[in-house]
Short mmCIF file of all heavy atoms in Angstrom, two decimals:
data_model
loop_
_atom_site.label_atom_id
_atom_site.label_comp_id
_atom_site.label_asym_id
_atom_site.label_seq_id
_atom_site.Cartn_x
_atom_site.Cartn_y
_atom_site.Cartn_z
N TRP A 1 107.31 115.60 105.67
CA TRP A 1 106.43 115.79 104.57
C TRP A 1 105.14 115.04 104.81
O TRP A 1 104.98 113.89 104.38
CB TRP A 1 107.07 115.40 103.28
CG TRP A 1 108.28 116.20 102.92
CD1 TRP A 1 108.68 117.39 103.39
CD2 TRP A 1 109.28 115.82 101.94
NE1 TRP A 1 109.83 117.80 102.78
CE2 TRP A 1 110.22 116.84 101.89
CE3 TRP A 1 109.43 114.72 101.13
CZ2 TRP A 1 111.30 116.80 101.05
CZ3 TRP A 1 110.50 114.68 100.29
CH2 TRP A 1 111.44 115.71 100.25
N PRO A 2 104.22 115.63 105.46
CA PRO A 2 102.98 114.97 105.80
C PRO A 2 102.20 114.47 104.59
O PRO A 2 101.51 113.45 104.65
CB PRO A 2 102.17 116.02 106.56
CG PRO A 2 103.08 117.15 106.83
CD PRO A 2 104.31 116.99 105.96
N GLU A 3 102.30 115.17 103.46
CA GLU A 3 101.56 114.75 102.29
C GLU A 3 102.08 113.45 101.71
O GLU A 3 101.39 112.77 100.95
CB GLU A 3 101.56 115.85 101.21
CG GLU A 3 102.91 116.20 100.66
CD GLU A 3 103.70 117.23 101.48
OE1 GLU A 3 103.23 117.66 102.55
OE2 GLU A 3 104.79 117.58 101.03
N ALA A 4 103.30 113.05 102.07
CA ALA A 4 103.86 111.81 101.56
C ALA A 4 103.73 110.64 102.55
O ALA A 4 104.09 109.53 102.22
CB ALA A 4 105.35 112.00 101.25
N TYR A 5 103.22 110.90 103.73
CA TYR A 5 103.06 109.87 104.75
C TYR A 5 101.88 108.96 104.43
O TYR A 5 100.83 109.43 104.06
CB TYR A 5 102.84 110.51 106.12
CG TYR A 5 102.58 109.51 107.21
CD1 TYR A 5 103.65 108.86 107.83
CD2 TYR A 5 101.32 109.18 107.62
CE1 TYR A 5 103.42 107.93 108.82
CE2 TYR A 5 101.08 108.26 108.61
CZ TYR A 5 102.13 107.64 109.21
OH TYR A 5 101.93 106.72 110.19
N PRO A 6 102.00 107.68 104.57
CA PRO A 6 103.23 106.96 104.82
C PRO A 6 103.89 106.58 103.50
O PRO A 6 103.24 106.13 102.57
CB PRO A 6 102.76 105.71 105.56
CG PRO A 6 101.42 105.43 104.99
CD PRO A 6 100.85 106.80 104.64
N TYR A 7 105.18 106.79 103.42
CA TYR A 7 105.92 106.42 102.23
C TYR A 7 107.09 105.54 102.67
O TYR A 7 107.79 105.87 103.62
CB TYR A 7 106.44 107.60 101.45
CG TYR A 7 107.34 107.18 100.33
CD1 TYR A 7 106.82 106.68 99.14
CD2 TYR A 7 108.74 107.20 100.46
CE1 TYR A 7 107.62 106.25 98.12
CE2 TYR A 7 109.55 106.77 99.44
CZ TYR A 7 108.98 106.29 98.27
OH TYR A 7 109.79 105.84 97.27
N ALA A 8 107.28 104.46 101.99
CA ALA A 8 108.45 103.59 102.19
C ALA A 8 108.91 103.11 100.84
O ALA A 8 108.07 102.63 100.04
CB ALA A 8 108.11 102.43 103.11
N ASP A 9 110.17 103.21 100.55
CA ASP A 9 110.65 102.78 99.25
C ASP A 9 110.80 101.25 99.19
O ASP A 9 110.58 100.56 100.19
CB ASP A 9 111.95 103.49 98.86
CG ASP A 9 113.15 103.11 99.73
OD1 ASP A 9 113.07 102.14 100.50
OD2 ASP A 9 114.17 103.81 99.63
N LYS A 10 111.17 100.79 98.03
CA LYS A 10 111.27 99.35 97.77
C LYS A 10 112.23 98.65 98.75
O LYS A 10 111.95 97.58 99.24
CB LYS A 10 111.73 99.12 96.33
CG LYS A 10 111.81 97.69 95.91
CD LYS A 10 112.25 97.57 94.46
CE LYS A 10 112.43 96.12 94.07
NZ LYS A 10 112.90 96.00 92.68
N LYS A 11 113.36 99.29 99.03
CA LYS A 11 114.35 98.69 99.92
C LYS A 11 113.79 98.52 101.34
O LYS A 11 114.01 97.51 102.01
CB LYS A 11 115.63 99.51 99.94
CG LYS A 11 116.81 98.78 100.48
CD LYS A 11 118.09 99.44 99.97
CE LYS A 11 119.27 98.56 100.15
NZ LYS A 11 119.56 97.68 99.04
N VAL A 12 113.06 99.52 101.82
CA VAL A 12 112.44 99.44 103.14
C VAL A 12 111.43 98.29 103.18
O VAL A 12 111.43 97.47 104.11
CB VAL A 12 111.76 100.76 103.51
CG1 VAL A 12 110.88 100.61 104.75
CG2 VAL A 12 112.77 101.86 103.72
N LEU A 13 110.60 98.22 102.15
CA LEU A 13 109.54 97.21 102.13
C LEU A 13 110.13 95.79 101.97
O LEU A 13 109.61 94.84 102.57
CB LEU A 13 108.55 97.51 101.03
CG LEU A 13 107.80 98.85 101.21
CD1 LEU A 13 106.88 99.11 100.03
CD2 LEU A 13 107.04 98.89 102.52
N GLU A 14 111.20 95.65 101.21
CA GLU A 14 111.86 94.34 101.09
C GLU A 14 112.43 93.91 102.41
O GLU A 14 112.29 92.74 102.82
CB GLU A 14 112.95 94.40 100.02
CG GLU A 14 112.43 94.43 98.61
CD GLU A 14 113.53 94.60 97.59
OE1 GLU A 14 114.71 94.77 97.94
OE2 GLU A 14 113.21 94.58 96.39
N ALA A 15 113.10 94.83 103.11
CA ALA A 15 113.67 94.49 104.42
C ALA A 15 112.56 94.11 105.40
O ALA A 15 112.69 93.15 106.17
CB ALA A 15 114.49 95.65 104.95
N ALA A 16 111.47 94.87 105.38
CA ALA A 16 110.35 94.57 106.28
C ALA A 16 109.83 93.17 106.00
O ALA A 16 109.59 92.39 106.93
CB ALA A 16 109.24 95.61 106.08
N GLY A 17 109.65 92.84 104.73
CA GLY A 17 109.14 91.51 104.37
C GLY A 17 110.06 90.40 104.82
O GLY A 17 109.60 89.37 105.31
N ARG A 18 111.37 90.61 104.69
CA ARG A 18 112.33 89.60 105.13
C ARG A 18 112.31 89.36 106.63
O ARG A 18 112.70 88.31 107.10
CB ARG A 18 113.74 89.95 104.66
CG ARG A 18 113.92 89.81 103.16
CD ARG A 18 115.31 89.94 102.72
NE ARG A 18 116.15 88.87 103.25
CZ ARG A 18 117.44 88.75 102.98
NH1 ARG A 18 118.05 89.63 102.21
NH2 ARG A 18 118.14 87.78 103.52
N LEU A 19 111.83 90.36 107.35
CA LEU A 19 111.76 90.25 108.81
C LEU A 19 110.36 89.83 109.27
O LEU A 19 110.09 89.76 110.45
CB LEU A 19 112.15 91.56 109.48
CG LEU A 19 113.61 91.94 109.35
CD1 LEU A 19 113.84 93.36 109.85
CD2 LEU A 19 114.50 90.94 110.11
N GLY A 20 109.49 89.55 108.32
CA GLY A 20 108.15 89.12 108.70
C GLY A 20 107.22 90.27 109.05
O GLY A 20 106.16 90.05 109.64
N LEU A 21 107.60 91.47 108.69
CA LEU A 21 106.76 92.64 108.94
C LEU A 21 105.90 92.91 107.70
O LEU A 21 106.16 92.34 106.64
CB LEU A 21 107.65 93.87 109.22
CG LEU A 21 108.53 93.75 110.49
CD1 LEU A 21 109.50 94.93 110.55
CD2 LEU A 21 107.66 93.70 111.74
N PRO A 22 104.90 93.78 107.83
CA PRO A 22 104.06 94.08 106.67
C PRO A 22 104.86 94.59 105.48
O PRO A 22 105.89 95.24 105.66
CB PRO A 22 103.13 95.18 107.20
CG PRO A 22 103.09 94.95 108.68
CD PRO A 22 104.46 94.47 109.05
N LYS A 23 104.37 94.29 104.28
CA LYS A 23 105.09 94.64 103.07
C LYS A 23 104.50 95.85 102.36
O LYS A 23 104.84 96.12 101.21
CB LYS A 23 105.13 93.45 102.13
CG LYS A 23 105.85 92.26 102.69
CD LYS A 23 105.82 91.11 101.70
CE LYS A 23 106.32 89.83 102.33
NZ LYS A 23 106.18 88.70 101.38
N THR A 24 103.61 96.58 103.03
CA THR A 24 103.09 97.82 102.47
C THR A 24 103.37 98.95 103.45
O THR A 24 103.43 98.74 104.66
CB THR A 24 101.58 97.77 102.21
OG1 THR A 24 100.90 97.68 103.46
CG2 THR A 24 101.20 96.60 101.30
N ALA A 25 103.58 100.14 102.89
CA ALA A 25 103.87 101.30 103.73
C ALA A 25 102.76 101.57 104.72
O ALA A 25 103.01 101.87 105.89
CB ALA A 25 104.14 102.53 102.87
N LYS A 26 101.54 101.45 104.28
CA LYS A 26 100.39 101.76 105.16
C LYS A 26 100.34 100.79 106.35
O LYS A 26 100.16 101.22 107.50
CB LYS A 26 99.09 101.68 104.36
CG LYS A 26 97.88 102.12 105.13
CD LYS A 26 96.65 102.12 104.24
CE LYS A 26 95.44 102.63 104.99
NZ LYS A 26 94.26 102.67 104.17
N ARG A 27 100.51 99.53 106.10
CA ARG A 27 100.48 98.54 107.20
C ARG A 27 101.71 98.65 108.08
O ARG A 27 101.63 98.47 109.31
CB ARG A 27 100.36 97.13 106.63
CG ARG A 27 98.99 96.88 106.06
CD ARG A 27 98.85 95.45 105.60
NE ARG A 27 97.48 95.20 105.18
CZ ARG A 27 97.09 94.11 104.58
NH1 ARG A 27 97.95 93.13 104.37
NH2 ARG A 27 95.85 93.95 104.21
N LEU A 28 102.86 98.93 107.49
CA LEU A 28 104.08 99.12 108.28
C LEU A 28 103.94 100.32 109.18
O LEU A 28 104.29 100.28 110.38
CB LEU A 28 105.27 99.29 107.32
CG LEU A 28 106.67 99.13 107.87
CD1 LEU A 28 106.87 97.77 108.48
CD2 LEU A 28 107.68 99.38 106.77
N ALA A 29 103.37 101.40 108.66
CA ALA A 29 103.20 102.63 109.46
C ALA A 29 102.22 102.39 110.61
O ALA A 29 102.34 103.06 111.65
CB ALA A 29 102.68 103.75 108.57
N ALA A 30 101.32 101.46 110.47
CA ALA A 30 100.34 101.19 111.54
C ALA A 30 101.00 100.55 112.76
O ALA A 30 100.39 100.53 113.82
CB ALA A 30 99.22 100.28 111.01
N LEU A 31 102.24 100.10 112.62
CA LEU A 31 102.91 99.43 113.74
C LEU A 31 103.50 100.39 114.76
O LEU A 31 103.81 100.00 115.90
CB LEU A 31 104.04 98.53 113.22
CG LEU A 31 103.64 97.37 112.30
CD1 LEU A 31 104.88 96.63 111.83
CD2 LEU A 31 102.70 96.43 113.04
N VAL A 32 103.73 101.63 114.34
CA VAL A 32 104.42 102.61 115.20
C VAL A 32 103.68 103.94 115.17
O VAL A 32 102.96 104.24 114.24
CB VAL A 32 105.88 102.80 114.75
CG1 VAL A 32 106.70 101.54 114.93
CG2 VAL A 32 105.96 103.30 113.32
N PRO A 33 103.92 104.77 116.21
CA PRO A 33 103.37 106.13 116.15
C PRO A 33 103.92 106.87 114.92
O PRO A 33 105.04 106.60 114.48
CB PRO A 33 103.87 106.78 117.45
CG PRO A 33 104.18 105.65 118.36
CD PRO A 33 104.64 104.52 117.46
N LYS A 34 103.14 107.79 114.39
CA LYS A 34 103.52 108.50 113.18
C LYS A 34 104.92 109.12 113.24
O LYS A 34 105.69 109.05 112.29
CB LYS A 34 102.49 109.61 112.88
CG LYS A 34 102.64 110.28 111.54
CD LYS A 34 101.47 111.22 111.29
CE LYS A 34 101.57 111.81 109.90
NZ LYS A 34 100.43 112.66 109.60
N LYS A 35 105.27 109.71 114.39
CA LYS A 35 106.60 110.34 114.52
C LYS A 35 107.73 109.32 114.51
O LYS A 35 108.87 109.68 114.26
CB LYS A 35 106.65 111.15 115.79
CG LYS A 35 105.87 112.42 115.72
CD LYS A 35 106.08 113.27 116.96
CE LYS A 35 105.36 114.59 116.82
NZ LYS A 35 105.64 115.48 117.93
N GLN A 36 107.42 108.04 114.77
CA GLN A 36 108.46 107.00 114.80
C GLN A 36 108.63 106.29 113.45
O GLN A 36 109.57 105.51 113.29
CB GLN A 36 108.14 105.99 115.89
CG GLN A 36 108.19 106.55 117.29
CD GLN A 36 109.56 107.09 117.63
OE1 GLN A 36 110.57 106.47 117.34
NE2 GLN A 36 109.60 108.26 118.24
N PHE A 37 107.75 106.55 112.50
CA PHE A 37 107.81 105.84 111.22
C PHE A 37 109.14 106.10 110.49
O PHE A 37 109.75 105.13 110.00
CB PHE A 37 106.62 106.22 110.35
CG PHE A 37 106.55 105.43 109.08
CD1 PHE A 37 106.37 104.05 109.10
CD2 PHE A 37 106.68 106.06 107.85
CE1 PHE A 37 106.32 103.32 107.93
CE2 PHE A 37 106.62 105.33 106.68
CZ PHE A 37 106.45 103.96 106.70
N PRO A 38 109.66 107.32 110.41
CA PRO A 38 110.96 107.52 109.76
C PRO A 38 112.08 106.72 110.44
O PRO A 38 112.96 106.21 109.78
CB PRO A 38 111.20 109.03 109.85
CG PRO A 38 109.85 109.62 110.01
CD PRO A 38 109.05 108.61 110.78
N ARG A 39 112.00 106.64 111.73
CA ARG A 39 113.00 105.87 112.50
C ARG A 39 112.93 104.39 112.17
O ARG A 39 113.95 103.72 112.01
CB ARG A 39 112.77 106.10 113.98
CG ARG A 39 113.83 105.57 114.86
CD ARG A 39 113.55 105.98 116.29
NE ARG A 39 114.59 105.50 117.16
CZ ARG A 39 114.61 105.65 118.45
NH1 ARG A 39 113.61 106.26 119.05
NH2 ARG A 39 115.59 105.16 119.14
N LEU A 40 111.72 103.86 112.04
CA LEU A 40 111.54 102.45 111.65
C LEU A 40 112.11 102.23 110.25
O LEU A 40 112.81 101.25 110.02
CB LEU A 40 110.04 102.07 111.70
CG LEU A 40 109.69 100.69 111.16
CD1 LEU A 40 110.42 99.58 111.96
CD2 LEU A 40 108.17 100.49 111.19
N CYS A 41 111.80 103.12 109.33
CA CYS A 41 112.31 102.98 107.96
C CYS A 41 113.84 103.02 107.95
O CYS A 41 114.49 102.22 107.26
CB CYS A 41 111.76 104.09 107.06
SG CYS A 41 110.00 103.91 106.74
N ALA A 42 114.43 103.90 108.71
CA ALA A 42 115.90 104.00 108.78
C ALA A 42 116.48 102.71 109.34
O ALA A 42 117.51 102.22 108.86
CB ALA A 42 116.31 105.20 109.63
N ALA A 43 115.85 102.16 110.35
CA ALA A 43 116.34 100.90 110.94
C ALA A 43 116.26 99.76 109.93
O ALA A 43 117.17 98.93 109.86
CB ALA A 43 115.54 100.57 112.19
N LEU A 44 115.21 99.75 109.13
CA LEU A 44 115.07 98.69 108.11
C LEU A 44 116.14 98.85 107.01
O LEU A 44 116.68 97.86 106.53
CB LEU A 44 113.67 98.71 107.52
CG LEU A 44 112.58 98.21 108.48
CD1 LEU A 44 111.21 98.55 107.97
CD2 LEU A 44 112.74 96.73 108.74
N ILE A 45 116.46 100.09 106.66
CA ILE A 45 117.52 100.33 105.69
C ILE A 45 118.86 99.86 106.25
O ILE A 45 119.65 99.19 105.56
CB ILE A 45 117.59 101.82 105.28
CG1 ILE A 45 116.38 102.20 104.47
CG2 ILE A 45 118.89 102.15 104.54
CD1 ILE A 45 116.29 101.54 103.11
N ARG A 46 119.14 100.21 107.52
CA ARG A 46 120.39 99.74 108.13
C ARG A 46 120.48 98.22 108.15
O ARG A 46 121.53 97.65 107.87
CB ARG A 46 120.53 100.29 109.56
CG ARG A 46 120.91 101.74 109.63
CD ARG A 46 121.29 102.17 111.04
NE ARG A 46 120.26 101.91 112.02
CZ ARG A 46 119.27 102.74 112.30
NH1 ARG A 46 119.15 103.88 111.66
NH2 ARG A 46 118.35 102.43 113.21
N THR A 47 119.38 97.59 108.47
CA THR A 47 119.34 96.12 108.48
C THR A 47 119.64 95.57 107.10
O THR A 47 120.41 94.62 106.94
CB THR A 47 117.97 95.62 108.96
OG1 THR A 47 117.74 96.09 110.27
CG2 THR A 47 117.87 94.10 108.93
N SER A 48 119.07 96.18 106.09
CA SER A 48 119.30 95.75 104.72
C SER A 48 120.76 95.92 104.30
O SER A 48 121.36 95.02 103.72
CB SER A 48 118.40 96.55 103.76
OG SER A 48 118.69 96.26 102.43
N LEU A 49 121.34 97.08 104.63
CA LEU A 49 122.73 97.35 104.26
C LEU A 49 123.70 96.42 104.98
O LEU A 49 124.70 95.98 104.39
CB LEU A 49 123.08 98.80 104.53
CG LEU A 49 122.35 99.84 103.67
CD1 LEU A 49 122.63 101.24 104.18
CD2 LEU A 49 122.74 99.67 102.22
N ARG A 50 123.43 96.14 106.22
CA ARG A 50 124.30 95.26 107.02
C ARG A 50 124.02 93.78 106.79
O ARG A 50 124.77 92.93 107.23
CB ARG A 50 124.16 95.59 108.50
CG ARG A 50 124.64 96.95 108.86
CD ARG A 50 124.42 97.21 110.33
NE ARG A 50 124.79 98.57 110.68
CZ ARG A 50 124.36 99.21 111.74
NH1 ARG A 50 123.52 98.61 112.58
NH2 ARG A 50 124.73 100.43 111.98
N ARG A 51 122.85 93.51 106.19
CA ARG A 51 122.40 92.14 105.96
C ARG A 51 122.38 91.33 107.27
O ARG A 51 122.78 90.17 107.31
CB ARG A 51 123.28 91.46 104.93
CG ARG A 51 123.18 92.07 103.56
CD ARG A 51 124.03 91.33 102.56
NE ARG A 51 123.84 91.84 101.23
CZ ARG A 51 124.60 92.76 100.65
NH1 ARG A 51 125.64 93.25 101.30
NH2 ARG A 51 124.35 93.17 99.42
N ASP A 52 121.92 91.94 108.32
CA ASP A 52 121.88 91.26 109.61
C ASP A 52 120.46 90.82 110.02
O ASP A 52 120.07 90.93 111.16
CB ASP A 52 122.56 92.08 110.69
CG ASP A 52 121.94 93.44 110.91
OD1 ASP A 52 120.97 93.79 110.20
OD2 ASP A 52 122.41 94.18 111.79
N TYR A 53 119.75 90.31 109.04
CA TYR A 53 118.37 89.86 109.30
C TYR A 53 118.33 88.78 110.37
O TYR A 53 117.45 88.80 111.24
CB TYR A 53 117.75 89.31 108.00
CG TYR A 53 117.63 90.36 106.92
CD1 TYR A 53 118.55 90.41 105.87
CD2 TYR A 53 116.60 91.28 106.94
CE1 TYR A 53 118.43 91.37 104.88
CE2 TYR A 53 116.48 92.25 105.97
CZ TYR A 53 117.41 92.28 104.93
OH TYR A 53 117.28 93.23 103.95
N ASP A 54 119.25 87.83 110.32
CA ASP A 54 119.25 86.75 111.32
C ASP A 54 119.48 87.27 112.71
O ASP A 54 118.85 86.81 113.67
CB ASP A 54 120.28 85.68 110.97
CG ASP A 54 119.93 84.91 109.70
OD1 ASP A 54 118.71 84.86 109.37
OD2 ASP A 54 120.83 84.39 109.04
N ASP A 55 120.38 88.25 112.85
CA ASP A 55 120.62 88.84 114.17
C ASP A 55 119.40 89.56 114.70
O ASP A 55 119.08 89.45 115.90
CB ASP A 55 121.81 89.81 114.09
CG ASP A 55 123.12 89.14 113.82
OD1 ASP A 55 123.24 87.92 114.05
OD2 ASP A 55 124.06 89.83 113.35
N ILE A 56 118.69 90.26 113.83
CA ILE A 56 117.50 90.97 114.25
C ILE A 56 116.42 89.99 114.66
O ILE A 56 115.78 90.14 115.71
CB ILE A 56 116.97 91.87 113.11
CG1 ILE A 56 118.00 92.95 112.72
CG2 ILE A 56 115.62 92.50 113.48
CD1 ILE A 56 118.31 93.93 113.79
N ARG A 57 116.23 88.94 113.87
CA ARG A 57 115.23 87.93 114.20
C ARG A 57 115.56 87.28 115.55
O ARG A 57 114.69 87.06 116.37
CB ARG A 57 115.14 86.87 113.11
CG ARG A 57 114.29 87.30 111.95
CD ARG A 57 114.06 86.11 111.02
NE ARG A 57 114.09 86.55 109.64
CZ ARG A 57 115.15 86.51 108.84
NH1 ARG A 57 116.28 85.98 109.24
NH2 ARG A 57 115.08 86.97 107.63
N ALA A 58 116.84 86.95 115.76
CA ALA A 58 117.25 86.30 117.02
C ALA A 58 117.03 87.24 118.22
O ALA A 58 116.59 86.80 119.28
CB ALA A 58 118.70 85.88 116.92
N ALA A 59 117.30 88.51 118.03
CA ALA A 59 117.15 89.49 119.13
C ALA A 59 115.69 89.73 119.48
O ALA A 59 115.38 90.12 120.60
CB ALA A 59 117.84 90.78 118.76
N THR A 60 114.80 89.51 118.54
CA THR A 60 113.39 89.80 118.79
C THR A 60 112.55 88.56 119.03
O THR A 60 111.37 88.67 119.31
CB THR A 60 112.77 90.59 117.61
OG1 THR A 60 112.90 89.81 116.41
CG2 THR A 60 113.45 91.93 117.42
N ARG A 61 113.19 87.42 118.93
CA ARG A 61 112.47 86.15 119.18
C ARG A 61 112.13 86.06 120.69
O ARG A 61 112.97 86.35 121.53
CB ARG A 61 113.38 84.99 118.78
CG ARG A 61 112.67 83.64 118.82
CD ARG A 61 113.55 82.54 118.24
NE ARG A 61 113.89 82.84 116.86
CZ ARG A 61 115.15 82.87 116.38
NH1 ARG A 61 116.15 82.63 117.14
NH2 ARG A 61 115.35 83.14 115.12
N PRO A 62 110.94 85.67 121.00
CA PRO A 62 110.58 85.53 122.43
C PRO A 62 111.47 84.51 123.11
O PRO A 62 111.80 83.48 122.53
CB PRO A 62 109.12 85.03 122.38
CG PRO A 62 108.62 85.35 121.02
CD PRO A 62 109.82 85.35 120.12
N LYS A 63 111.87 84.84 124.29
CA LYS A 63 112.73 83.95 125.08
C LYS A 63 111.86 82.87 125.76
O LYS A 63 110.75 83.16 126.18
CB LYS A 63 113.49 84.73 126.17
CG LYS A 63 114.27 85.91 125.65
CD LYS A 63 115.42 85.50 124.76
CE LYS A 63 116.22 86.71 124.38
NZ LYS A 63 116.52 86.82 123.01
N GLU A 64 112.39 81.69 125.83
CA GLU A 64 111.66 80.63 126.54
C GLU A 64 111.83 80.83 128.03
O GLU A 64 112.89 81.14 128.53
CB GLU A 64 112.23 79.26 126.13
CG GLU A 64 111.92 78.90 124.69
CD GLU A 64 112.35 77.48 124.38
OE1 GLU A 64 112.39 76.63 125.30
OE2 GLU A 64 112.65 77.24 123.21
N LEU A 65 110.73 80.65 128.73
CA LEU A 65 110.77 80.78 130.17
C LEU A 65 111.18 79.46 130.81
O LEU A 65 110.79 78.38 130.34
CB LEU A 65 109.38 81.19 130.70
CG LEU A 65 108.86 82.54 130.22
CD1 LEU A 65 107.45 82.75 130.70
CD2 LEU A 65 109.77 83.66 130.72
N PRO A 66 111.96 79.51 131.88
CA PRO A 66 112.33 78.28 132.56
C PRO A 66 111.10 77.57 133.13
O PRO A 66 110.17 78.24 133.60
CB PRO A 66 113.29 78.71 133.66
CG PRO A 66 113.25 80.20 133.70
CD PRO A 66 112.50 80.68 132.50
N VAL A 67 111.13 76.29 133.11
CA VAL A 67 109.97 75.50 133.62
C VAL A 67 110.16 75.17 135.05
O VAL A 67 111.13 75.01 135.61
CB VAL A 67 109.81 74.22 132.79
CG1 VAL A 67 108.61 73.43 133.29
CG2 VAL A 67 109.67 74.56 131.35
#
């Protein structure tokens, strides 16, 4: 539904905010190509339902390089 793009409901935006991502649909949509936005929203809903915010943060945290 192109006329509704970008749309993200409250649950998507709450999950995004908890992960440190933008809290508006427009800014969230700017992070990915248009065709990937529904996929991003679905991933945020899955994260919310599973409540695995800490796991997501840990998986995306930059790794320290050996000195």
Side-chain angles (χ1 to χ4, degrees):
W1 298 343
E3 63 275 3
Y5 176 82
Y7 173 78
D9 67 12
K10 183 179 176 182
K11 197 158 196 90
V12 169
L13 298 176
E14 285 175 356
R18 288 189 64 179
L19 291 171
L21 297 172
K23 297 179 191 176
T24 67
K26 187 175 182 178
R27 288 185 176 172
L28 196 59
L31 298 177
V32 294
K34 189 173 184 176
K35 287 185 175 186
Q36 295 300 316
F37 186 64
R39 189 174 182 184
L40 173 60
C41 291
L44 289 167
I45 291 294
R46 284 191 304 273
T47 299
S48 174
L49 293 172
R50 294 179 185 159
R51 294 182 175 96
D52 58 359
Y53 298 100
D54 292 335
D55 293 339
I56 299 295
R57 279 190 219 96
T60 59
R61 188 173 300 126
K63 307 292 186 228
E64 291 186 28
L65 298 175
V67 181

